[in-house]
Amino acid sequence: MCQSCISIQPTDAFAEKVVEYATGGAIAMMISIGHRTGLFDALSELPSATSEELALAAGLNERYVREWLGAMVTGGIVDYDPGLAKYALPEEHAGALTRAAAPNNIAVMTQFISVLGSVEDDIVECFHNGGGVPYEGYKRFHPVMADESEQTVASALEEYILPLAPGLRERLVEGIDVIDFGCGSGRAIIHLARLFPKSTFLGIDLSEDAIKAARESAVDIPNVRFEVQDAASFDRPAAFDLVTAFDIVHDQAQPDVVLRRMRGCLKPHGVLLMQDIKMRTPLELNRDNPLAPFIYTISCMHCMSVSLAQNGLGLGAAWGRELAEQMLGEAGFEEVITHELEHDPMNYFFVSRIAA
Ligand SMILES: C[S@@+](CC[C@H](N)C(=O)[O-])C[C@H]1O[C@@H](n2cnc3c(N)ncnc32)[C@H](O)[C@@H]1O
């Protein structure tokens, strides 16, 4: 394999671009490892360090750390002083790669590349024979999703997301009933439950593992509970004042049914707050979106596939704003306002209020 790697001679701009993609994929995996092992956090706390000093600070094996540093230095992420054999993480890079930098820690997102890599064989099989890969087929999907949710949703709820529905914060303070569809490991709803102790929160998800993780994280919070439930058959008419759905509808086997379930469980004056991926439905409108290749890849290798694994519609993460608004309307959400947040290039937030 290495023979062919080193024999690549980019002869034109396009070939160079393909090499850049291959290198980018490789570095993304190393960034994921740097995040998971705490190497970026440890290096950011040292003015500079040898590989031995960094390995000691992070509690890791020096030989692996030194090879990782090789990728980081040649990838332009870490500075290196060959005279002293010392490595340093520039401050502006620490601002995009460390836990202290959340919600701007982009290292969190690189973990998805490795998660997707774990199912490549299964996805190739699907290209030949159709079908999909079930959630259980992905190593570490729920923990990585929880990490992502903590950073993009939970940390932004108070300052950015709740103000998208004027008056909602005040109602949460007074005390309302909230349900989070497809809550995963519950990061967002647990955050809300802590902020608003007079409101009650229910998180439902199909995954027993995710619900177990959510329950463990919420043992000391009395106003939140979790149930293993299929959103497509969830039927509690007019029981909730607020329905939240963070990054779940496009994954569904039956997204149309789930949207109707969400509408059906809202009380008069209830509010829907739905986050989904910031893409447009026509492919050609995504050409200038620098995140679009990432989204189509995640969609093909996860979101679309988990739905097809259940004989579902397979909408995919790139279903787009136009189709989302249409399907929300068909499910009975009459007035939908679609919001964008300046700091979040990845998501739309759809808000709808139910009439009296
Ligand atoms: C992309 S994850 C998002 C999880 C969570 N909302 C978050 O932001 O971290 C989608 C979630 O939807 C759940 N899910 C998929 N189909 C479901 C269904 N029919 N009923 C309930 N949950 C479902 C999955 O188990 C998964 O936890």
Side-chain angles (χ1 to χ4, degrees):
M1 175 201 158
C2 281
Q3 280 302 318
S4 65
C5 289
I6 54 172
S7 71
I8 289 172
Q9 299 287 332
T11 51
D12 56 29
F14 176 71
E16 266 179 43
K17 195 170 170 179
V18 178
V19 173
E20 267 173 39
Y21 287 150
T23 304
I27 293 181
M29 283 198 287
M30 287 305 235
I31 293 176
S32 169
I33 288 174
H35 173 70
R36 293 180 65 187
T37 55
L39 274 164
F40 290 124
D41 302 321
L43 190 53
S44 73
E45 280 163 20
L46 299 165
S48 68
T50 62
S51 57
E52 290 85 359
E53 288 165 346
L54 177 59
L56 190 67
L60 298 169
N61 177 286
E62 188 277 335
R63 183 66 193 95
Y64 277 87
V65 169
R66 188 160 25 106
E67 210 67 358
W68 178 82
L69 283 164
M72 292 298 105
V73 170
T74 53
I77 294 168
V78 167
D79 287 344
Y80 181 53
D81 179 339
L84 298 173
K86 287 208 166 200
Y87 304 84
L89 186 64
E91 205 175 312
E92 63 273 24
H93 296 189
L97 294 169
T98 56
R99 286 178 172 76
N104 300 318
N105 180 8
I106 304 164
V108 168
M109 170 178 159
T110 63
Q111 296 175 99
F112 283 112
I113 303 299
S114 314
V115 170
L116 300 183
S118 74
V119 296
E120 186 179 299
D121 288 353
D122 307 302
I123 295 289
V124 168
E125 180 66 27
C126 295
F127 269 81
H128 289 293
N129 297 317
V133 181
Y135 275 100
E136 313 80 74
Y138 296 79
K139 272 192 190 160
R140 293 189 71 243
F141 173 74
H142 287 296
V144 170
M145 194 63 229
D147 210 0
E148 171 79 10
S149 168
E150 184 74 50
Q151 129 139 352
T152 55
V153 180
S155 71
L157 275 167
E158 224 183 337
E159 193 173 346
Y160 300 105
I161 300 175
L162 294 182
L164 297 175
L168 180 58
R169 192 179 197 289
E170 291 71 15
R171 291 176 70 187
L172 282 159
V173 169
E174 280 167 23
I176 56 174
D177 297 315
V178 182
I179 178 164
D180 187 26
F181 274 69
C183 62
S185 306
R187 297 295 172 91
I189 199 173
I190 289 172
H191 191 82
L192 284 174
R194 281 209 178 95
L195 283 175
F196 303 108
K198 289 191 182 162
S199 288
T200 66
F201 297 85
L202 170 64
I204 62 164
D205 200 285
L206 208 50
S207 162
E208 289 185 11
D209 287 347
I211 290 295
K212 183 168 173 279
R215 285 181 179 144
E216 282 168 9
S217 304
V219 275
D220 57 341
I221 311 170
N223 58 328
V224 63
R225 64 197 173 82
F226 295 96
E227 292 175 12
V228 176
Q229 285 268 351
D230 182 350
S233 53
F234 184 81
D235 189 21
R236 293 189 207 164
F240 297 92
D241 303 281
L242 170 64
V243 166
T244 55
F246 298 114
D247 196 13
I248 72 136
V249 174
H250 64 258
D251 274 11
Q252 297 298 308
Q254 304 173 77
D256 47 348
V257 175
V258 171
L259 286 170
R260 285 203 300 275
R261 294 294 185 192
M262 290 177 181
R263 172 65 185 84
C265 75
L266 275 169
K267 298 177 190 173
H269 301 293
V271 174
L272 168 77
L273 182 53
M274 174 179 123
Q275 171 219 340
D276 218 291
I277 303 294
K278 190 168 168 178
M279 292 285 279
R280 305 293 298 276
T281 305
L283 167 62
E284 60 275 22
L285 297 185
N286 295 317
R287 274 203 187 117
D288 295 332
N289 178 350
L291 282 169
F294 183 83
I295 301 299
Y296 280 113
T297 303
I298 295 236
S299 180
C300 182
M301 295 189 71
H302 180 269
C303 313
M304 176 189 81
S305 192
V306 292
S307 173
L308 292 176
Q310 304 167 68
N311 294 317
L313 280 186
L315 272 185
W319 63 319
R321 171 182 182 158
E322 292 79 359
L323 183 55
E325 288 171 348
Q326 180 194 319
M327 288 180 70
L328 281 163
E330 287 165 2
F333 293 102
E334 277 163 12
E335 281 185 24
V336 178
I337 302 178
T338 305
H339 299 268
E340 300 175 40
L341 292 175
E342 209 178 316
H343 75 279
D344 184 349
M346 187 84 97
N347 295 296
Y348 283 127
F349 292 85
F350 302 88
V351 177
S352 180
R353 273 171 204 284
I354 306 308

